[in-house]
Amino acid sequence: MTEFNPSVLRWFAEQLTPDNMTVYYSSQRNKSIVDRKEQWYGAEYSVQPLPQNWMDSIAKYTAVDLTGQQTTAVDTYQTPWPDVSSNGGGDVSIGGVKQGSQQPVGQRQQQQPPAQLDPLPGQIRLPEPNWALPDDLSLRHDTDVSISSADKPGPVSASLSAAVYDGAPAPPKSLRESAGLCAWVKTDTSYGLPKVHLYLHLVTPVTYNTPESSVATRLLLRVLEDLLLPLTYPAELAGSCYDISTEQGGLTLKVVGFPGVAQKLKLMVLQGLLGITAQQVQERFATMSGRLVQNLTNWAKNNPQQHAEYAAHHLMQQHHHHNAQLLQAAAAAAPEQLLALQEQLATGRDLHVDMLAYGNISRQEADDLVVQLQQQMKPQGLPAGVWPPAGRVLCLSPVSHTDVAGSAADSQHGGLHKDSQLAAEAMAGPGFVDADRAAAAGSYLDYSAASNYSSNVLVTYLPDNPNPCNSNSAIYYTVQLGPDSVQTSVLLHLFVQMSSKAAFHELRTRQRLGYSVSLSSTSLHRQLGLMIRVQSPSTTPDVLVPAVRAWLAGCRDELREAAEQQLDNAKKALRDKYLDPPKSLQEAARRTWSPISTRSLVFDRRKQKASVAAVLDQQQLMGFYDAYVDPRGPLHRALCVHVWGGRQQAPAEEGQGTKGDSNIQKPQTATARHLITVTERETDLFKHCQPLMPSANFVPPPAG
C-alpha cells in the first residue's frame, strides 16, 4: 500500500484477533514438553494449539478493553495518572498518593476498582490497556499558522526541488509574549505524520547557581523519571515519549506524541515535578544519589581528549561547576535540598517559560496548552538585566593572572580585579564598556572595538590528569572568534570545509602525531571557535602544540594557492548544507526550536548564511585567516589544554622534553606575542582576571 486507504487499513485491523494469533513462549519450564529440534542451531521447540484457558483469558481481556474501562484499568499499575478535566486542570497520583491533597487514590475516586484480569498460566500476564493509545489521528489544518506549499519539505511535497526550500520557512506564530511566559505554535502536516512536538524551556537560575543546587536538580529529575516510568513506558510503546534535562539556563522538557496524548504526558511530567512528596523522595534518595555519585566518579575514566575538551570548557566559562565540585556536593546531598528546590520552582519566582508547539496541532489546542501551562507553573518572569541566563565566556586577553595582586579578595561582584580592568581597558581602548556593572554581572570586553587592537595571545592550560591509568596524551587547541554572527559563522565553516582533510593528512597521516586528529568548528554559549584536537599514545603535548601551530601558520599558502574551482566547490557544499530541507518532522521542529531556545528569534538564519556563502571571495577568506586563524595574526586568541598521559607531568620549562618524544624534532613556528600558562590551582584566579565576551545578539523576554 503506497497511499492512504481506510478500507485496507480497517481490513488489516480486523485480522488482529486471537484466532489469528501466534504466540512465541520461551521458558525453562517448557523443557519437558518440547518434541522438536531446529535443524541448524539445534534449538528445541514444540508447536501446539493455544490452550482453551488461554483463549478464555484473552477473550476476557479484550472484552474489558472494549467496554470503555480503559481509563480505570490503569489503577492496576499503581503509578501516576492524570485526571485531566475539560478546562485543562487535573491531578497526578504518584505511588498511590494524589499530589496537593495528599489523599489516597482510592478515596479520591469514590468508585470500585475494576475486576482483575486472570493471569495466564506459567506466570504470563497480558498488559493492561494502554492509556497512551491515540484515538484521534486526524491531521490539523489551521490556515492562520500552517505552512504554505513552497515551505513543505516533507513527503507531501517531495516533487519540489531543493531550490524551492530557500532556508527561510514560515516562522511560528506567536501566541503569547508576556513576563514569565512566551509561546509559539506552528502547524505542520507536510510529512503526513499526526504527531506534535512540544518544547518547554524553564529558564531559572535556581537550578545551577551553586554546585549543590545543580546536584539537587539532577537528583530531583532522577526521582521524577523513576516515579513516572510505569506510565511513560507504555506511552513509549504507543509512540509518545518525553525527555527532561537540566542545563545552565534551567530545565528543558521535550514531549513528542499524538494529539491528546502528548498534552496529557506534558501535564503529567510538570505536575509530577511540582508534586513529588517527601516520602517519595526519601524512598528513592539513596538509590538515586548513589547512581549520581557513581556517574560522577566514572567521569575520571574518560579518555584524555575528552578530559582536554572538558577542561577547556571549564576554564573558558565564568560560571561553571567542575565535576570535582559536583562530586563533593553529591556526596553531601540530602533529601531536603530536593524538596527546597521543588518548593522554589512551585512558587514561579525567578522563572520564565518559553514554549513551542510544532506539528499536528491547531492554534486552539496550542492556546489551551498555554493556559494550562500558566496555571501549572505560574511563572513570574526574571528581573531585567539577568539575560542571557547561560554562562558567560571569557575573552582571552594578555592580562596575566600572575600580574594581578590580591586576586578574588578584591572582587565584590564577580567583576574584574582593578589592575586587570585597567589592563583590559588599555588593551581595548574605548571599546571596554561597563554596561553590566549595574546588574552586578561583571565587566566585559567589547569584541568589535577590541578588533582594532593587536591582542595575539596563547593561553596554555595544564589541568591535572583525572585518569593517570591512561597512558595517552592529548591537546585541545581552540581559537576564539567572538560572538556568533552570520558572517563569522560562514567564514569559519568555509575554512573548516577547505582545511579539515588537509589537517588530518598532515598531522595524522604524514607526521603520525596521533591516532585521533580532528579539526572542526565549535560554539560555546554562542561564542564561535576553531578547534583542533589530537590524541597520541607516544607524542607528548609539548611536541603536539608546535606541530599544530606550524600547520596553522602554513595554511596561508594553501588557501592563497587554492584554485577558484576549489573555492567554488566549497562554497557550493556550504550552500547545499544550509539549504538542505529538513528530512523529518523531528528535524523541522528542532530547527524551529533552536532560535527560540537561544532567544535569537532569527528563523531565516540558514537563508542568510546561504546568501553570504554565495558572495564570499578569496580575499575575504584570507582576511579572516590572517586576522584570526594564523598564529601570528593580530586577533589570534588561542587556548591550548595539555593532558599528559599516565603519571607524566608537564615540563617545568619550555623545551624540556619528556620520555617518549626524544626522537621527534619539534617544529619551529611563530611565538605568540603574549604567552600565559595556567595550572589547575590557578584556574579561579585566571577566570577572575579575564574580561568577558559580549553576548551574541538575543531578544530578551519581557521582564518580570
Side-chain angles (χ1 to χ4, degrees):
M1 186 176 69
T2 58
E3 298 180 354
F4 178 69
N5 191 325
S7 60
V8 174
L9 293 175
R10 188 175 298 107
W11 171 86
F12 178 80
E14 291 172 351
Q15 308 310 306
L16 302 179
T17 64
D19 293 334
N20 294 334
M21 179 175 61
T22 300
V23 177
Y24 294 89
Y25 178 29
S26 177
S27 174
Q28 290 290 336
R29 301 181 181 184
N30 299 335
K31 191 173 183 179
S32 60
I33 63 174
V34 295
D35 56 4
R36 303 186 187 186
K37 181 175 290 189
E38 195 271 333
Q39 177 180 0
W40 303 107
Y41 293 96
E44 296 179 324
Y45 71 99
S46 176
V47 178
Q48 299 178 4
L50 287 176
Q52 186 59 44
N53 59 341
W54 286 39
M55 299 296 292
D56 295 341
S57 296
I58 294 173
K60 185 185 298 185
Y61 175 85
T62 56
V64 172
D65 192 22
L66 295 174
T67 56
Q69 299 187 32
Q70 181 173 349
T71 55
T72 55
V74 78
D75 288 339
T76 59
Y77 278 110
Q78 297 298 318
T79 54
W81 174 248
D83 180 15
V84 183
S85 62
S86 59
N87 61 0
D91 301 304
V92 173
S93 61
I94 299 181
V97 178
K98 175 187 174 184
Q99 305 309 309
S101 66
Q102 306 300 317
Q103 294 178 349
V105 175
Q107 297 179 13
R108 172 168 58 93
Q109 291 181 337
Q110 298 298 322
Q111 62 182 20
Q112 295 296 324
Q116 295 289 329
L117 299 176
D118 295 331
L120 296 175
Q123 302 300 315
I124 295 178
R125 178 185 177 89
L126 290 171
E128 301 296 339
N130 194 328
W131 70 269
L133 289 175
D135 55 10
D136 181 6
L137 299 179
S138 62
L139 297 179
R140 274 52 171 170
H141 299 285
D142 192 336
T143 57
D144 189 25
V145 295
S146 61
I147 61 178
S148 63
S149 60
D151 293 323
K152 295 181 180 179
V156 174
S157 57
S159 61
L160 297 176
S161 65
V164 175
Y165 180 79
D166 62 355
K173 184 73 173 180
S174 177
L175 294 176
R176 177 178 296 192
E177 186 174 354
S178 61
L181 178 59
C182 295
W184 293 261
V185 62
K186 182 171 180 179
T187 303
D188 183 355
T189 57
S190 63
Y191 296 88
L193 187 64
K195 281 192 173 184
V196 59
H197 290 246
L198 303 178
Y199 289 90
L200 277 76
H201 190 190
L202 279 61
V203 185
T204 175
V206 302
T207 59
Y208 196 81
N209 52 11
T210 65
E212 291 73 19
S213 63
S214 179
V215 166
T217 303
R218 297 189 188 192
L219 291 174
L220 183 64
L221 296 187
R222 286 171 178 259
V223 172
L224 173 66
E225 292 171 358
D226 186 69
L227 286 167
L228 293 179
L229 182 60
L231 266 191
T232 57
Y233 177 68
E236 289 183 15
L237 296 179
S240 299
C241 61
Y242 84 100
D243 178 73
I244 186 167
S245 59
T246 178
E247 55 187 27
Q248 290 190 21
L251 303 176
T252 298
L253 171 62
K254 178 183 177 182
V255 180
V256 180
F258 295 98
V261 179
Q263 288 89 323
K264 290 181 180 179
L265 191 55
K266 185 273 304 179
L267 175 67
M268 182 192 312
V269 173
L270 291 182
Q271 289 188 332
L273 178 66
L274 303 179
I276 296 176
T277 66
Q279 178 182 353
Q280 292 160 348
V281 171
Q282 289 283 358
E283 292 172 348
R284 293 162 177 82
F285 182 81
T287 300
M288 299 305 165
S289 61
R291 292 176 182 175
L292 179 59
V293 169
Q294 187 62 54
N295 288 344
L296 294 173
T297 302
N298 290 341
W299 169 86
K301 299 179 182 180
N302 288 341
N303 61 52
Q305 63 180 358
Q306 291 174 313
H307 284 305
E309 181 175 4
Y310 182 90
H313 290 175
H314 176 64
L315 185 71
M316 292 297 296
Q317 297 180 73
Q318 179 196 34
H319 185 57
H320 180 264
H321 307 314
H322 194 276
N323 185 84
Q325 297 173 294
L326 298 176
L327 182 57
Q328 183 178 4
E336 293 74 19
Q337 294 173 313
L338 280 64
L339 298 173
L341 172 64
Q342 181 196 52
E343 182 179 356
Q344 172 69 19
L345 292 173
T347 64
R349 295 193 305 268
D350 293 331
L351 174 65
H352 174 84
V353 180
D354 281 334
M355 187 197 85
L356 170 67
Y358 190 100
N360 190 39
I361 186 170
S362 66
R363 172 159 187 165
Q364 182 59 52
E365 291 172 319
D367 281 330
D368 294 340
L369 277 176
V370 172
V371 173
Q372 184 185 87
L373 186 60
Q374 179 68 46
Q375 294 174 350
Q376 279 185 284
M377 303 303 299
K378 303 178 179 62
Q380 300 176 18
L382 295 173
V386 301
W387 282 81
R392 297 288 296 276
V393 176
L394 305 184
C395 174
L396 299 178
S397 74
V399 181
S400 174
H401 56 289
T402 59
D403 299 330
V404 178
S407 67
D410 295 329
S411 176
Q412 301 298 324
H413 301 291
L416 296 174
H417 181 277
K418 180 179 179 181
D419 295 340
S420 178
Q421 177 180 329
L422 294 176
E425 289 176 351
M427 178 188 72
F432 187 84
V433 295
D434 213 15
D436 285 352
R437 185 175 300 278
S443 303
Y444 62 86
L445 182 67
D446 186 335
Y447 192 84
S448 59
S451 299
N452 299 321
Y453 185 87
S454 178
S455 55
N456 182 292
V457 59
L458 172 61
V459 176
T460 300
Y461 186 36
L462 306 174
D464 298 335
N465 186 357
N467 187 13
C469 295
N470 193 318
S471 61
N472 291 278
S473 296
I475 66 166
Y476 186 89
Y477 191 99
T478 179
V479 181
Q480 278 194 317
L481 302 176
D484 187 12
S485 68
V486 172
Q487 181 85 6
T488 304
S489 178
V490 174
L491 285 167
L492 171 61
H493 292 164
L494 183 59
F495 176 80
V496 171
Q497 180 76 22
M498 298 183 66
S499 305
S500 58
K501 292 183 179 179
F504 183 88
H505 173 74
E506 176 64 23
L507 302 177
R508 170 66 177 88
T509 306
R510 199 183 74 80
Q511 297 189 35
R512 299 182 179 179
L513 294 178
Y515 58 85
S516 177
V517 176
S518 62
L519 178 145
S520 65
S521 60
T522 64
S523 179
L524 179 63
H525 298 309
R526 300 185 64 204
Q527 301 291 334
L528 298 179
L530 174 70
M531 178 276 295
I532 300 179
R533 178 169 46 198
V534 182
Q535 179 168 296
S536 174
S538 57
T539 310
T540 50
D542 58 337
V543 177
L544 294 174
V545 176
V548 168
R549 288 176 61 85
W551 177 81
L552 283 174
C555 280
R556 192 177 201 286
D557 293 338
E558 296 182 13
L559 291 177
R560 186 181 58 216
E561 297 171 1
E564 182 178 352
Q565 184 63 40
Q566 182 180 354
L567 179 62
D568 290 341
N569 289 340
K571 291 165 54 178
K572 182 179 184 302
L574 280 185
R575 294 188 71 252
D576 291 344
K577 177 182 178 181
Y578 297 147
L579 298 180
D580 187 30
K583 299 298 190 298
S584 64
L585 181 65
Q586 178 181 3
E587 184 180 358
R590 179 181 55 80
R591 289 188 185 184
T592 305
W593 171 246
S594 179
I596 296 176
S597 64
T598 61
R599 270 281 161 180
S600 68
L601 302 186
V602 179
F603 297 99
D604 64 343
R605 180 176 171 86
R606 301 177 75 89
K607 179 179 181 180
Q608 295 181 24
K609 293 169 76 172
S611 300
V612 170
V615 299
L616 281 181
D617 55 30
Q618 190 178 47
Q619 182 179 358
Q620 291 173 296
L621 179 61
M622 293 305 302
F624 169 78
Y625 168 83
D626 290 337
Y628 296 95
V629 181
D630 191 337
R632 300 156 295 192
L635 297 178
H636 185 85
R637 297 184 178 96
L639 166 68
C640 188
V641 179
H642 297 195
V643 174
W644 290 71
R647 301 186 184 279
Q648 300 181 89
Q649 298 295 325
E653 297 179 2
E654 184 179 358
Q656 178 182 341
T658 58
K659 182 179 180 181
D661 68 353
S662 57
N663 296 324
I664 300 177
Q665 183 178 1
K666 298 181 182 180
Q668 299 297 318
T669 186
T671 303
R673 178 170 300 185
H674 303 280
L675 292 171
I676 300 174
T677 301
V678 184
T679 65
E680 184 160 312
R681 293 185 300 274
E682 299 168 324
T683 300
D684 292 338
L685 179 59
F686 175 79
K687 289 186 177 186
H688 168 70
C689 76
Q690 293 296 305
L692 300 178
M693 281 286 189
S695 302
N697 292 333
F698 64 92
V699 180

